[in-house]
Amino acid sequence: MSTVFIALQTNEDTRQIVDAILQDNPHAVANEQPAMVKIDAEGKLVVRRETIEELIGRPYDLQEMQIHMITMSGNLDQTDDEMTLFWNA
């Protein structure tokens, strides 16, 4: 199985986003750097709008994450409610 990842800037806006991603992906590992957090996961990584909204306490559009995203690795499948990174077998 291949590893996918997403890297986000480290700032106040991304703390709850990172927490939401880790909550929804217990197999994922956060690697914190001084200016970014890189979240690695075997197979796939799912980002759910609903979980982010629960943690930040307001409506959230997944497109907002692009402001804080540094890079990602994997194929991307995105809807209004969910973003999934994965590699085709």
Side-chain angles (χ1 to χ4, degrees):
M1 206 177 286
S2 297
T3 301
V4 296
F5 71 82
I6 187 169
L8 302 170
Q9 297 172 12
T10 299
N11 60 44
E12 284 300 316
D13 295 328
T14 59
R15 292 184 206 288
Q16 289 88 7
I17 296 169
V18 169
D19 290 344
I21 294 170
L22 294 173
Q23 179 178 318
D24 287 337
N25 299 275
H27 64 290
V29 176
N31 298 301
E32 297 187 29
Q33 306 293 318
M36 73 172 196
V37 177
K38 181 178 174 235
I39 303 171
D40 297 294
E42 287 292 321
K44 74 176 185 175
L45 185 72
V46 179
V47 180
R48 293 186 176 93
R49 178 189 51 78
E50 182 178 34
T51 307
I52 295 171
E53 288 178 343
E54 288 172 7
L55 294 181
I56 66 173
R58 68 169 176 84
Y60 188 80
D61 184 334
L62 287 178
Q63 296 293 321
E64 291 179 56
M65 194 174 357
Q66 293 181 14
I67 295 168
H68 308 289
M69 190 182 318
I70 296 170
T71 189
M72 63 181 191
S73 175
N75 295 316
L76 175 66
D77 184 21
Q78 184 170 351
T79 67
D80 290 342
D81 297 321
E82 197 169 278
M83 180 177 92
T84 304
L85 290 171
F86 62 96
W87 288 115
N88 289 333

